[in-house]
Amino acid sequence: MVQGVVAAKEPRGLDQAIQLLREAVALDANLWEARYDLGVVLARAGDLAGAEDALVTAAKADPDAEDVALALAEVRQRRGEHKTAADGLGDFIEAHPAAVAARTLYVACLRDAGRLDKAIAEAREVLVRKPGDASALAELALSHLAKGERDTATLLAKQAIDSDAPQRRRVARNRDDRIGPW
């Protein structure tokens, strides 16, 4: 499994990574991490159906893994299965109400599925749990824009940009403080 993850990081290592991760899954069918990694690598390679299968199995093996729930929803979004993605994340956040990243992606899935009022309500719930979250504000702006509420969307987009500015400054400052090539 580790070799598969390492191979996936190589510029031309996707095929080898897929092969190694499939071997890891064959050796230990209960290794949800290998199924998750396989799903992510298959998605990167463009095999969205295979990625979804691997991620569904990983989610069954560890239903509490937020990374798996996120990856599965993202694959379903890429496949155009917005309602299925939203339903899956809805179930996950019902069981894990503090999962802010999953709830934020849930907003995007709801918006893409045309459930705008629910998307807006969930974006507000993210902001209750994590005030000023730039991603939640951006998703809220996009939901209002989809409803045709341009002025509200513009104000929320500006707020998202403004709330993200301190984070961008911290990242830039930390980047300047690093020593070495990493």
Side-chain angles (χ1 to χ4, degrees):
M1 182 181 95
V2 173
Q3 291 174 334
V5 172
V6 170
K9 294 177 183 178
E10 296 296 321
R12 292 192 166 96
L14 282 182
D15 291 336
Q16 181 184 12
I18 291 168
Q19 177 187 348
L20 290 168
L21 289 167
R22 283 189 171 142
E23 289 173 13
V25 168
L27 289 172
D28 186 352
N30 296 321
L31 195 59
W32 72 265
E33 297 94 336
R35 291 189 183 278
Y36 165 73
D37 292 335
L38 177 60
V40 170
V41 172
L42 287 171
R44 281 184 47 209
D47 180 1
L48 299 179
E52 184 172 7
D53 289 343
L55 292 167
V56 164
T57 304
K60 287 178 183 173
D62 187 356
D64 296 324
E66 186 174 11
D67 288 346
V68 175
L70 290 167
L72 180 56
E74 288 172 2
V75 166
R76 288 174 170 165
Q77 283 282 85
R78 286 179 56 190
R79 295 187 78 190
E81 299 172 0
H82 307 298
K83 183 183 180 320
T84 304
D87 291 345
L89 277 178
D91 292 343
F92 183 83
I93 64 168
E94 186 175 313
H96 305 87
V100 174
R103 192 177 296 272
T104 303
L105 182 57
Y106 182 47
V107 174
C109 295
L110 289 168
R111 179 176 37 81
D112 291 342
R115 298 171 57 192
L116 301 176
D117 290 333
K118 178 75 172 161
I120 290 169
E122 289 298 329
R124 289 180 178 151
E125 183 63 30
V126 172
L127 292 168
V128 165
R129 295 171 186 278
K130 192 173 177 188
D133 182 70
S135 295
L137 287 165
E139 288 298 339
L140 185 57
L142 289 170
S143 296
H144 280 284
L145 185 61
K147 286 184 77 169
E149 300 169 353
R150 294 176 58 98
D151 291 340
T152 302
T154 301
L155 291 171
L156 287 165
K158 180 171 177 8
Q159 190 176 356
I161 291 167
D162 291 346
S163 71
D164 196 38
Q167 173 64 25
R168 286 189 310 238
R169 281 193 294 273
R170 269 193 306 279
V171 168
R173 189 172 41 250
N174 290 342
R175 191 179 312 123
D176 293 340
D177 291 342
R178 288 187 294 185
I179 299 171
W182 58 95

